[in-house]
Structure formats: structure tokens, C-alpha cells
Amino acid sequence: MRTTRTTLRTGRAAAAITSLTAVTALTLAGCGSDGAKDPGPPAGPTSTAGESVSLPSLKGEKIQVAAVWTGPEQENFTKVLKEFEKRTGATVTFVPAQDPIVNFLGTKIAGGAPPDVAMLPQVGAIHQAAAQKWIKPVGPEAKAQLAKNYSKGWQDLGAVDGTQYGVYFKAANKSLIWYNNAVFENAGASEPKTWKDFLATAETISASGVTPVSVGGADGWTLTDWFENIYLSQAGPEKYDQLAQHKIKWTDPSVTRALTTLGELFGKPNLIAGGADGALQTEFPASVTQTFTGGDQPKGAMVFEGDFAAINIAQTDAEIGKDAKVFPFPAVGAESPVVTAGDAAVALKDTRGAQALLTFLASPDAARIWAGAGGFLSPNKNLDLAAYPNDVQREIAKALIDAGDDFRFDMSDQMPQSFGGTPGKGEWKALQDFLKNPKDIAGIQARLEADAAKAYKS
């Protein structure tokens, strides 16, 4: 799954995320798609008895919505669209899109058949679509919802040169490491706080007879997340901003240090499920499910990725808080990093239906529906945290909101999509090659810089 990604870097956010460790140490009930095992507040309803936003009658209008979501994510988003249909009378069709979605939309537009609305998973994609004049500005009703429900930082992420185009609907915390609790208990391992401790824990687990780390290397975006977490913690936020904007080169010593650090894991194939070759054939969903399948003898003991991994854990017999637990990404520098992201809705047609859907998606009413299903975070500050199905997700959501405006968006999602968001190209391909040969740091840096320079000039 390719989900939105944002980087939070405040004492408030870090403290809230750190509290996640204490929360998940409890024997919580499951945090899967249904949330039925949790004794906490009930999930939000799929119908909005207390409606917070007025929507027009759109009876007879047909609306197409394109997104790259599949499986449980598509199913949960469809529930949101069904509620919109119920309240407006419109007929809404979900259009499966390929990644990168900008290329998919370009083909549709060239053929004269663009969808009405699309969900874009990169800031760079919004800028590219605006530059091509593919997308329409957000209307006054949606703007009012944004002003009411979103911090200025989240509004700004959806704007280009002062014009609002995007409504960020779905967010994610991407600085979490999920682990098989039975494996940890059998190995006598504890949750690591630092990168050094993380590597030591991996060796301890390996000595117990279980491969410690599951990596979904077939999806290049997971590898950019590994790099970004290490780089943010090690190099700091200023350098992170500079690299994201290509104000420093990928041959910078700070990149060398981050790749060297990542190579401490990638350079030991015995620590990775299936070795490098196996990881490169493992897609993200499988990297999660294989961590929580097989009892105390899974293919991997730990898997790195966001809160949305809960969706995949729910497809196994593991219960979050009991069999599956989570800790913050370990600190490489002074602090643990917190990287998140988000998907923004944009209108490709300036119709009443498209604008009404943006308005709905900017409201707590829409966010409440998916929040109740699990595997979802909303940047909407007026969404009641009780809508989330369990304490784990409430704590993660609270950290996102508590960060206010003090955050940075995921680095690769800020870059031109040809470099930071295209399968088999740019950063995705370079880091896949790095996973296969982590000794060639200089060569990988040279390739990254050459590809980045080309992308930023285009």
C-alpha cells in the first residue's frame, strides 16, 4: 500500500508517539478492521446521525473517483462514498488507478475521460497536476470545512502558489516497528530505544532461531521510508528540508552517513527474511502478514511501517496488543523520528458533484466512517478520537493532531514523482539496488544525484 506520509518533529508529537509504547504494552483487544474485540469507546457510525456539514441534492448526478487503493482500503473508502451517495442522491463509482496515479490521470485526460475526483498520494503530484492545469481550485464550501477542521499546515500542503487544490483526507504515521510478541518473549528481547539497540535486538532474535526483520522490498516506497526515518533522526530537520528541496546534493556526506547506517541492517542478509533477494520479491502486505503468521516461528519477527499495517495484521490470527505489538522507530540521533503522510482529494472537473465530495471529505462526518473501520488516521482536528476502534489508534491519531503545524511531509512525496514516486525508477529503484548491494554507497549516491538533478530540471 502506498499511503500518505508526513514528518512530525516536535516535542509534543514525539512525546505522544513515545506514549504509544506504554499503551501497546497493555493487553489490548484487536485493532483490526472490525475493532470488535476492543472494550474502549465504540467506533464511529457508518451513517452520520449528527451531521456536521450540509450537502446539496445531487440526484441523478454521476461521479467517478480514482485512487490507487485496493483490498481493505478500497472497501473502507467505498463505505465513505456510499454515505455520500446516501446523503446526496448521487451515484459514485470507484475507479481503480495504477501507481503512479499522475501517469494514469494523464492517460485518462488525453483520452477525454478524466474522473471527477482523484486521491493523490504525493505533494509533488498535486503540484504537477496544477502545473498541467488538470485540477480545479477548491470551492468555497470545501474551503470553509478546511478552515474549520484543519491546521494551516495541512491546508498549505494542498495549495499551490496560494490556490487551494487539495483536501487531505487520509494520513499515516510511518515511524513504527511492529513485532511478534511471542518471538520477543522466547528470545528474551525487549523493545529497543536506539538504532544500536535495534541491531542488538535483531542479533538476539536471530540467535534464537528466527529471522528478525521482514522487509517489503518489492515496493520501493517502503525503502524510501527506511531511509527517511534514519536521515531525519541522524541529520536533523534542517538537512532533511534541504535534501527534500534538492538544495543539497544526494552526494552530501549526510546521505553517506544515513546509507551507511541503513547498510548496517541491509548488509547482513541473515537478519532479513529471505535475504536481499527474498525481500525484493516481497510486497508490503506480505511483509506484514508473514511476521504474524506461524505463531512463534514466523518468517520475520519485526516489520517496519505505518499504522496502516493494522489492516494487514487483521488478516492474520494475531491480536494487536497481545500477539502483535509496536514501538517507535529507534533513535539514530538524539530523537526518534516521526514520519507520516496523507492522500489528498482533488477535483479534475469543476462540477457541483466534485466540489460537494471535496466538502464532504473535509468534514469529520467522512473521516468518522473510515476511522471506525480501523487502519486509518485523519488530519481533521475535529474528528472525535472516540471514533477510532482502540487505544492504540487513538494515541497515534492524537500525536498527529497534537503536532499542529509543526511537521514536514514525507521527503519522497515532496519530490518530482519521476524521482520520488515511480516504481522501477529514481529513488525507489536506487534503494532497491542498495538493498541488494549495500556496499556500493558511492555508486548509489551518484545515481540518486543524477536522477534527482534530471527530475528537478524537468
Side-chain angles (χ1 to χ4, degrees), residues 35-274:
K37 302 172 185 176
D38 187 76
T46 54
S47 62
T48 49
E51 298 175 1
S52 70
V53 61
S54 297
L55 299 172
S57 173
L58 299 170
K59 190 173 182 180
E61 188 158 341
K62 296 182 179 180
I63 303 169
Q64 290 189 333
V65 183
V68 297
W69 291 321
T70 60
E73 287 186 303
Q74 180 181 335
E75 292 171 11
N76 290 333
F77 184 52
T78 299
K79 294 177 184 177
V80 177
L81 300 180
K82 289 293 184 185
E83 177 63 21
F84 179 79
E85 286 183 323
K86 177 182 175 182
R87 289 174 58 173
T88 63
T91 300
V92 185
T93 303
F94 181 91
V95 179
Q98 289 79 43
D99 206 353
I101 193 170
V102 167
N103 293 356
F104 172 84
L105 294 176
T107 301
K108 290 291 186 181
I109 290 167
D116 299 86
V117 172
M119 307 300 298
L120 300 185
Q122 299 99 8
V123 174
I126 296 176
H127 284 255
Q128 183 176 342
Q132 296 284 348
K133 301 188 184 302
W134 290 350
I135 54 180
K136 311 300 180 184
V138 167
E141 293 82 6
K143 274 188 178 180
Q145 286 296 311
L146 285 170
K148 178 181 178 182
N149 300 320
Y150 288 71
S151 71
K152 185 177 183 299
W154 281 101
Q155 294 178 58
D156 290 347
L157 285 172
V160 179
D161 297 330
T163 298
Q164 192 74 41
Y165 290 102
V167 170
Y168 272 89
F169 176 63
K170 188 176 188 292
N173 179 312
K174 305 191 79 176
S175 295
L176 304 173
I177 294 182
W178 301 83
Y179 67 94
N180 185 310
N181 188 49
V183 174
F184 266 56
E185 288 184 347
N186 290 346
S190 57
E191 295 179 358
K193 306 293 186 186
T194 68
W195 181 255
K196 181 179 178 181
D197 291 342
F198 174 75
L199 295 175
T201 298
E203 294 287 359
T204 298
I205 291 170
S206 179
S208 75
V210 177
T211 306
V213 183
S214 177
V215 177
D219 294 313
W221 59 267
T222 64
L223 304 183
T224 69
D225 290 346
W226 274 104
F227 172 81
E228 289 161 6
N229 275 272
I230 288 173
Y231 191 84
L232 177 61
S233 182
Q234 187 175 63
E238 290 184 9
K239 283 281 191 182
Y240 184 98
D241 291 344
Q242 292 170 0
L243 186 59
Q245 298 168 37
H246 203 220
K247 291 183 177 179
I248 58 175
K249 295 183 177 182
W250 282 84
T251 50
D252 190 84
S254 63
V255 178
T256 308
R257 287 192 295 272
L259 289 174
T260 299
T261 299
L262 183 55
E264 292 172 353
L265 172 64
F266 287 0
K268 295 185 176 180
N270 63 302
L271 299 183
I272 297 174

Side-chain angles (χ1 to χ4, degrees), residues 315-331:
Q315 296 172 328
T316 72
D317 293 331
E319 292 185 20
I320 290 180
K322 180 182 178 182
D323 308 304
K325 294 188 177 182
V326 62
F327 58 84
F329 195 95

Side-chain angles (χ1 to χ4, degrees), residues 274-346:
D277 289 339
L280 288 169
Q281 296 176 43
T282 303
E283 295 180 342
F284 167 70
S287 73
V288 178
T289 55
Q290 72 182 15
T291 304
F292 301 102
T293 303
D296 62 359
Q297 293 294 316
K299 291 184 178 179
M302 297 180 280
V303 62
F304 156 67
E305 259 310 338
D307 59 280
F308 48 82
I311 295 174
N312 306 102
I313 296 173
Q315 296 172 328
T316 72
D317 293 331
E319 292 185 20
I320 290 180
K322 180 182 178 182
D323 308 304
K325 294 188 177 182
V326 62
F327 58 84
F329 195 95
V332 182
E335 298 181 61
S336 288
V338 184
V339 177
T340 93
D343 295 89
V346 297

